[in-house]
């Protein structure tokens, strides 16, 4: 069995429940993905999925394979990375997934330094929230994922490394009426039109929880967008509110936007890195984490007096 092909294909379909989504995740044509599943079913002599109009679900045999396949996948990736590190101690491609906070505030300087210190390593960035990037880390398509450390990880070989305390705030245009207040309350925000970055379900839950905790009806999001940049453009041009990490404030002020002076953050959480233990064998990965930690500490020191 070609573990890096057929079994990974099975895992992708099992986790997404959809051939199209799994094919996109694996960068495969759908007929090729279907062929790989058929090879597995022929090998085990049983159907692994039930096909439905809206997707695919595991059969009892498929669920048994799923339990074992996850462990096999983890060990396979660990072995491959450990052997590569032992042979060369170099990583040809460092594949990083990162959400908006890390993209805008923390990664650029680190990339510059890594290019100088590890010129043989190609740096690749996939811009998305951790919810979308974590499955790619599990399957070996990413090496490090930066984002909110909210999702519980039950894999033994994936470590969660805290790097930054994040305060979720509300972004508005500099001319927004609420910027005229020294302290903005939740009731001030209740009537505002909100924009939601739709890829980030955790932020949506935090905003709703913020209102519910204070005995108010959660706001109706006026705009949902899968483009973070489009959301920022709408805030810059209109009267909208967008939930973002307050740590991004200094990076957005030149574009005519500021985080509102809330009397309390919408929520607080830890952001950091998800990384496979075997990947830490590479010096370039350890150096990346060191650089991000240094930059995160600087950002935290700059922000603390304002919170």
């Amino acid at each position: 069995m070609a573990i890096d092909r057929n079994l990974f294909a099975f895992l992708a379909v099992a986790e997404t429940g959809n051939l199209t989504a799994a094919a996109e995740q694996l960068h495969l044509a759908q007929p090729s993905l279907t062929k790989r599943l058929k090879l597995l079913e022929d090998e085990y002599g049983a159907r692994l999925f039930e096909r439905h109009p809206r997707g695919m679900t595991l059969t009892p045999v498929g669920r048994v394979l799923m339990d074992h396949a996850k462990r096999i996948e983890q060990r396979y990736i660990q072995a491959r990375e450990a052997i590569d590190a032992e042979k060369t101690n170099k990583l040809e491609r460092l594949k990083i997934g990162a959400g908006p906070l890390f993209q805008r505030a923390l990664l650029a300087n680190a990339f510059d330094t890594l290019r100088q210190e590890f010129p043989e390593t190609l740096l690749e960035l996939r811009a998305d929230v951790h919810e979308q990037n974590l499955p790619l880390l599990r399957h070996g398509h990413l090496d490090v994922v930066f984002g909110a450390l909210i999702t519980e990880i039950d894999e033994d070989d994936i470590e969660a490394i805290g790097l930054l305390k994040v305060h979720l705030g509300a972004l508005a245009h500099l001319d927004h009426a609420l910027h005229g207040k020294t302290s903005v309350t939740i009731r001030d925000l209740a009537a505002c039109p909100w924009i939601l970055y739709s890829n980030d379900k955790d932020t949506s839950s935090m905003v709703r929880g913020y209102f519910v905790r204070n005995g108010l009806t959660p706001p109706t999001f006026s705009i949902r967008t899968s483009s973070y940049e489009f959301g920022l453009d709408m805030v810059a041009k209109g009267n909208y509110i967008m939930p973002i990490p307050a740590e991004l404030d200094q990076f957005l002020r030149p574009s005519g936007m500021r985080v509102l002076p809330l009397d309390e953050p919408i929520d607080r959480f830890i952001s950091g890195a998800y990384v496979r233990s075997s990947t830490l064998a590479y010096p370039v990965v350890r150096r990346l984490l060191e650089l991000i930690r240094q930059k995160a500490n600087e950002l935290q020191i700059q922000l603390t007096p304002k919170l």
Side-chain angles (χ1 to χ4, degrees):
M1 178 172 61
I3 187 172
D4 58 340
R5 298 177 58 191
N6 299 343
L7 197 61
F8 283 2
F10 165 78
L11 284 167
V13 175
E15 290 180 351
T16 62
N18 184 282
L19 278 173
T20 301
E24 290 177 356
Q25 178 177 299
L26 296 172
H27 305 292
L28 278 177
Q30 192 166 315
S32 298
L33 177 58
T34 302
K35 181 179 179 180
R36 293 183 185 184
L37 294 180
K38 181 65 166 58
L39 289 172
L40 267 184
E41 290 183 328
D42 289 346
E43 179 174 347
Y44 289 110
R47 292 174 61 190
L48 301 175
F49 292 97
E50 297 288 354
R51 276 74 171 173
H52 306 287
R54 294 187 177 181
M56 302 173 68
T57 58
L58 290 167
T59 64
V61 171
R63 287 194 291 272
V64 171
L65 179 59
M66 181 69 168
D67 291 339
H68 292 279
K70 283 185 176 180
R71 291 192 288 271
I72 293 170
E73 178 193 36
Q74 292 166 12
R75 297 295 178 248
Y76 176 78
I77 293 173
Q78 282 182 305
R80 185 182 63 195
E81 291 176 340
I83 290 170
D84 287 345
E86 181 68 24
K87 288 192 303 184
T88 66
N89 207 32
K90 295 179 181 178
L91 197 59
E92 291 185 2
R93 296 165 60 207
L94 176 53
K95 304 178 291 296
I96 300 163
L101 172 59
F102 285 86
Q103 294 169 44
R104 286 182 166 267
L106 299 168
L107 279 173
N109 290 338
F111 269 41
D112 279 344
T113 301
L114 291 179
R115 289 301 304 132
Q116 297 173 28
E117 297 180 2
F118 300 89
E120 72 283 358
T121 299
L122 172 65
L123 305 176
E124 296 183 359
L125 175 64
R126 183 181 191 274
D128 213 334
V129 294
H130 73 282
E131 295 170 287
Q132 307 298 321
N133 284 330
L134 273 178
L136 300 178
L137 177 70
R138 292 187 178 103
H139 294 312
H141 302 302
L142 290 174
D143 300 307
V144 183
V145 167
F146 291 106
L149 300 185
I150 296 173
T151 303
E152 291 188 9
I153 300 295
D154 57 4
E155 289 90 343
D156 293 337
D157 68 323
I158 295 181
E159 297 185 26
I161 302 171
L163 297 170
L164 183 69
K165 295 178 182 178
V166 178
H167 305 77
L168 189 64
L171 184 71
H173 190 273
L174 283 171
D175 294 331
H176 196 287
L178 290 181
H179 274 305
K181 303 190 66 170
T182 56
S183 181
V184 176
T185 69
I186 187 172
R187 293 188 181 278
D188 295 325
L189 297 174
C192 294
W194 286 72
I195 295 176
L196 178 67
Y197 176 44
S198 59
N199 281 359
D200 193 351
K201 295 182 177 61
D202 288 326
T203 294
S204 174
S205 297
M206 290 178 191
V207 171
R208 294 182 186 281
Y210 175 59
F211 279 84
V212 170
R213 286 195 307 273
N214 287 276
L216 297 176
T217 301
T220 299
F221 292 104
S222 302
I223 297 176
R224 291 176 181 266
T225 173
S226 61
S227 168
Y228 201 79
E229 295 303 320
F230 179 78
L232 294 179
D233 286 344
M234 293 302 296
V235 171
K237 295 175 181 177
N239 200 38
Y240 298 100
I241 300 293
M242 182 174 173
I244 71 160
E247 287 72 11
L248 282 175
D249 180 74
Q250 62 179 290
F251 302 96
L252 296 173
R253 289 193 182 200
S255 300
M257 295 173 283
R258 283 182 57 193
V259 173
L260 290 168
L262 302 183
D263 59 353
E264 63 169 317
I266 294 173
D267 212 329
R268 300 176 178 87
F269 55 91
I270 301 296
S271 274
Y274 293 102
V275 58
R276 289 188 304 280
S277 302
S278 51
T279 307
L280 290 171
Y282 294 103
V284 65
V285 175
R286 297 196 300 272
R287 180 60 170 148
L288 169 65
L289 295 174
E290 178 187 1
L291 291 168
I292 295 299
R293 185 181 295 279
Q294 291 173 357
K295 190 66 178 177
N297 288 341
E298 293 172 8
L299 182 62
Q300 204 85 77
I301 291 170
Q302 293 171 9
L303 185 71
T304 299
K306 303 176 185 178
L307 293 177

